[in-house]
Amino acid sequence: MIARGSLSAPSRLFSACVLAAAALAGCKDKQEPPPAPPAPPKVEKPAEPIVTLDQATAALLALPEVKEWSRDIEKRSHGKAHGAIIEDDPKPRTLNGRQYWQLSFVENRADRVLRRESFLVAQTGNDILVEDAENDTVMSLDDWRRGVHKIRLKSAD
């Protein structure tokens, strides 16, 4: 051990600083800031269920217009012709990044099949579009229904 009087004032000051620094370094390890709270888990939107071809066909057969057409075909043909939904193309059609089943309602007769209307049924969700063959466009089911209603009113005159 070194005698108290043997260290000079600057040496004592230096030694005190070293001891203080060591003490603060020991305290620094004990006083770490609390860890940041964990990020909230990402809530991913659940994927929409895939609509199968059978489900798409059933959705079209459930439309009131299709039911009416089927009854009318049966009645006019005395049961010899039937309404049916057929797949136009097994390859899905892509519109605005969405995939659609390509289906048509037809009058199925013994000697021929007559297409009545072509539909696109979304493979996810419940979107149904109707193809407008004259203008080579598609329209929403609601827009198509408004047009069908106008035609019925005109033909009633």
Side-chain angles (χ1 to χ4, degrees):
M1 198 168 188
I2 303 174
R4 185 175 166 111
S6 65
L7 291 177
S8 65
S11 296
R12 280 193 303 248
L13 182 59
F14 177 74
S15 297
C17 287
V18 169
L19 287 174
L24 285 175
C27 291
K28 181 179 176 185
D29 290 339
K30 293 178 185 174
Q31 295 181 356
E32 289 183 15
K42 287 186 178 181
V43 178
E44 292 185 21
K45 192 169 116 178
E48 291 184 275
I50 301 296
V51 176
T52 66
L53 178 58
D54 288 339
Q55 291 169 329
T57 301
L60 289 180
L61 288 171
L63 294 177
E65 296 85 357
V66 170
K67 287 180 180 180
E68 184 180 330
W69 291 340
S70 293
R71 281 190 302 267
D72 185 53
I73 291 168
E74 292 273 339
K75 185 179 175 181
R76 284 186 298 110
S77 70
H78 304 286
K80 294 181 182 173
H82 308 280
I85 300 293
I86 62 169
E87 185 178 27
D88 289 335
D89 189 343
K91 182 181 175 194
R93 183 168 169 188
T94 303
L95 287 173
N96 300 325
R98 292 186 75 185
Q99 300 272 309
Y100 291 86
W101 294 107
Q102 300 182 70
L103 305 170
S104 287
F105 177 79
V106 298
E107 184 173 329
N108 191 9
R109 298 187 163 271
D111 58 338
R112 67 186 182 273
V113 174
L114 303 170
R115 183 183 314 274
R116 186 66 81 84
E117 200 69 68
S118 294
F119 297 92
L120 299 173
V121 180
Q123 291 187 345
T124 56
N126 57 2
D127 197 21
I128 297 175
L129 304 175
V130 183
E131 291 188 272
D132 182 357
E134 289 179 19
N135 299 320
D136 195 30
T137 60
V138 294
M139 65 183 92
S140 71
L141 188 59
D142 289 336
D143 289 343
W144 174 75
R145 284 180 167 151
R146 282 190 283 275
V148 168
H149 183 68
K150 287 178 186 176
I151 291 170
R152 286 185 184 156
L153 289 176
K154 286 181 183 177
S155 64
D157 291 340

